[in-house]
């Protein structure tokens, strides 16, 4: 059974703190994604990675960075958390095969920045 | 660029009612189309998909047909259950690209 896990379900941080969100997949997928989910806005792509050490900006990368040192792990970093980064963060993975375009999601991390 | 527009919710239905959630899209070329579902407290999971015009995706009693002429992919179910209460997202992926574009989601509440 495919599995994407995220390091925390709930996280509370203070403004200005550095925050790490971790995501691990066990499907040997090449692609991994970080989204944030906000009411009325749906899912917005922050960053994605198509290979180890490779990354591309999504639609809303400002205030975030990512790291992919191993194929199975993709980290989202908030360099200096701000209250407008309070949100639900979803990680997903996907194979690069032409006919396998399904994304598999983790359960999400609800981050509150005070 | 690519975009997905789906009907705003919430949608409240009685058990055994007929469900339609509208979805239209804008994309270059011929994208693959998806419906994802998010149950309370969980991440998204694929419900169904279609990869070319006139294809019908189906799963768990839900259906959606890829209509190229109307650029639509409406989700339907003949008889909803309380357990179908969730948020439904329409999405597309253009060929040759790795990114998926999601709609804003439609919350469905089914009452007994």
């Amino acid at each position: 059974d495919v599995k994407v896990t995220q390091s925390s379900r709930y996280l509370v941080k203070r403004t200005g703190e550095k925050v790490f969100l971790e995501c691990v997949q066990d499907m040997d997928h090449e692609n991994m994604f970080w989204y944030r989910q906000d009411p009325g806005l749906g899912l917005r792509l922050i960053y994605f990675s198509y290979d180890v050490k490779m990354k591309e900006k999504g639609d809303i990368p400002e205030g975030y960075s990512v790291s992919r040192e191993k194929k199975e792990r993709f980290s989202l970093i908030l360099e200096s958390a701000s209250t407008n980064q309070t949100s639900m963060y979803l990680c997903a993975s996907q194979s690069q095969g032409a006919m396998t375009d399904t994304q598999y999601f983790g359960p999400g991390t609800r981050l509150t920045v005070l | 660029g690519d975009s997905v527009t789906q009907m705003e919710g919430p949608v409240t239905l009685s058990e055994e009612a007929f469900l339609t959630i509208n979805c239209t899209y804008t994309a270059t070329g011929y994208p693959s189309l998806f419906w994802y579902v998010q149950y309370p407290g969980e991440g998204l999971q694929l419900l169904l998909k279609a990869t070319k015009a006139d294809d019908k995706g189906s799963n768990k009693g839900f259906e959606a047909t890829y209509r190229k002429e109307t650029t639509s992919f409406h989700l339907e179910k003949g008889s909803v259950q309380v357990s179908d209460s969730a948020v439904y997202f329409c999405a597309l992926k253009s060929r040759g690209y790795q990114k998926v574009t999601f709609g804003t989601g439609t919350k469905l509440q089914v009452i007994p």
Side-chain angles (χ1 to χ4, degrees):
Chain A
D1 201 15
V2 299
K3 197 149 187 169
V4 178
T5 57
Q6 295 184 227
S7 49
S8 306
R9 293 299 300 268
Y10 300 93
L11 209 51
V12 179
K13 296 292 181 181
R14 298 210 173 271
T15 302
E17 280 193 79
K18 190 168 187 175
V19 182
F20 294 86
L21 303 182
E22 303 280 336
C23 175
V24 177
Q25 51 99 359
D26 65 357
M27 295 164 282
D28 202 36
H29 285 167
E30 296 85 0
N31 295 344
M32 295 187 75
F33 304 81
W34 275 107
Y35 297 91
R36 62 177 283 176
Q37 180 180 7
D38 300 287
L41 298 176
L43 272 69
R44 293 180 291 167
L45 181 65
I46 304 171
Y47 268 97
F48 71 100
S49 168
Y50 51 90
D51 201 350
V52 174
K53 297 191 186 295
M54 306 303 289
K55 61 185 179 184
E56 283 203 22
K57 293 180 180 179
D59 301 317
I60 52 164
E62 296 78 19
Y64 303 94
S65 62
V66 290
S67 171
R68 191 157 181 211
E69 297 296 319
K70 294 185 178 182
K71 190 175 185 181
E72 68 271 17
R73 189 179 298 269
F74 191 36
S75 302
L76 179 69
I77 303 154
L78 286 66
E79 296 290 342
S80 177
S82 64
T83 54
N84 63 12
Q85 292 179 310
T86 291
S87 186
M88 170 70 86
Y89 290 88
L90 293 169
C91 174
S93 74
Q94 177 191 321
S95 171
Q96 280 183 2
M99 301 306 293
T100 56
D101 44 14
T102 300
Q103 292 202 351
Y104 295 88
F105 284 82
T109 296
R110 185 165 293 282
L111 173 67
T112 301
V113 182
L114 302 175
Chain B
D2 294 347
S3 68
V4 175
T5 302
Q6 60 181 106
M7 60 189 289
E8 297 222 4
V11 174
T12 302
L13 294 174
S14 297
E15 208 165 20
E16 299 184 3
F18 184 85
L19 168 71
T20 300
I21 301 177
N22 290 336
C23 172
T24 57
Y25 67 89
T26 302
T28 52
Y30 301 98
S32 294
L33 301 175
F34 309 84
W35 278 100
Y36 282 83
V37 59
Q38 183 180 34
Y39 297 105
E42 299 183 12
L44 280 69
Q45 58 185 269
L46 180 69
L47 179 60
L48 53 84
K49 70 177 185 181
T51 58
K52 61 183 188 295
D54 300 324
D55 265 4
K56 178 185 282 188
S58 60
N59 186 24
K60 298 181 181 181
F62 291 88
E63 292 183 340
T65 300
Y66 190 141
R67 301 285 188 202
K68 182 170 174 291
E69 63 278 9
T70 54
T71 61
S72 65
F73 193 55
H74 304 321
L75 182 68
E76 296 182 336
K77 186 175 186 183
S79 176
V80 293
Q81 306 301 311
V82 172
S83 57
D84 294 326
S85 298
V87 181
Y88 292 82
F89 291 89
C90 186
L92 71 83
K93 179 177 174 292
S94 289
R95 297 195 201 294
Y97 293 91
Q98 303 300 324
K99 290 168 54 174
V100 174
T101 299
F102 289 87
T104 54
T106 301
K107 184 174 183 178
L108 170 66
Q109 183 179 13
V110 180
I111 54 178

